[in-house]
Amino acid sequence: MNQNDQNYKYYVPVTRLVKRTDDVAKAVVEQLIKGPDQKKGLAAVLNATTEVKSIKPADGVITVDFSNKFLGADQKASAEAMQSVILSLTENTSFKQVQIKVDGAVKPVTKTAHINPAKL
């Protein structure tokens, strides 16, 4: 994430070279948890202590089950964190639907129509 002088937050795609793997979804989520290079001025959207319990594809949907470390202090997942997972997985895998779970509790979500909506 980044933000401009008017405190408008927006998503920034980041390209990173990683070791070749058959489990692209796992690599994508690991890189989201790792976060951006701090020298780039971007903010991480996932807590560095976030843990992934499982990533399972089934019937055109990829399900990511996070531990409760995915949640913020208010015990809710931030919209930015959820959106980053959705955008990253739908853009880097063949899946167009993502289901997010936290300790097995379902958090169904889909990709938004507008990634960085323009303010008028």
Side-chain angles (χ1 to χ4, degrees), residues 23-79:
D23 196 347
V24 174
K26 181 180 178 186
V28 166
V29 175
E30 287 174 350
Q31 292 303 309
L32 280 174
I33 293 169
K34 184 177 178 182
D37 181 346
Q38 297 302 314
K39 296 174 190 169
K40 304 289 183 187
L42 302 174
V45 293
L46 295 182
N47 185 334
T49 63
T50 299
E51 298 171 350
V52 178
K53 291 181 150 192
S54 66
I55 300 175
K56 297 179 183 175
D59 301 322
V61 177
I62 189 156
T63 301
V64 183
D65 190 3
F66 290 100
S67 72
N68 64 0
K69 292 181 181 181
F70 181 72
L71 305 175
D74 60 358
Q75 292 302 299
K76 294 181 181 178
S78 75

Side-chain angles (χ1 to χ4, degrees), residues 64 66 70 82 85-86 98-102 105-109:
V64 183
F66 290 100
F70 181 72
M82 292 184 62
V85 171
I86 296 163
V98 177
Q99 183 177 64
I100 296 176
K101 292 183 177 183
V102 177
V106 177
K107 307 282 185 192
V109 289

Side-chain angles (χ1 to χ4, degrees), residues 87-106:
L87 291 170
S88 296
L89 287 172
T90 57
E91 291 298 321
N92 292 288
T93 69
S94 61
F95 296 96
K96 297 303 171 204
Q97 290 186 321
V98 177
Q99 183 177 64
I100 296 176
K101 292 183 177 183
V102 177
D103 286 334
V106 177

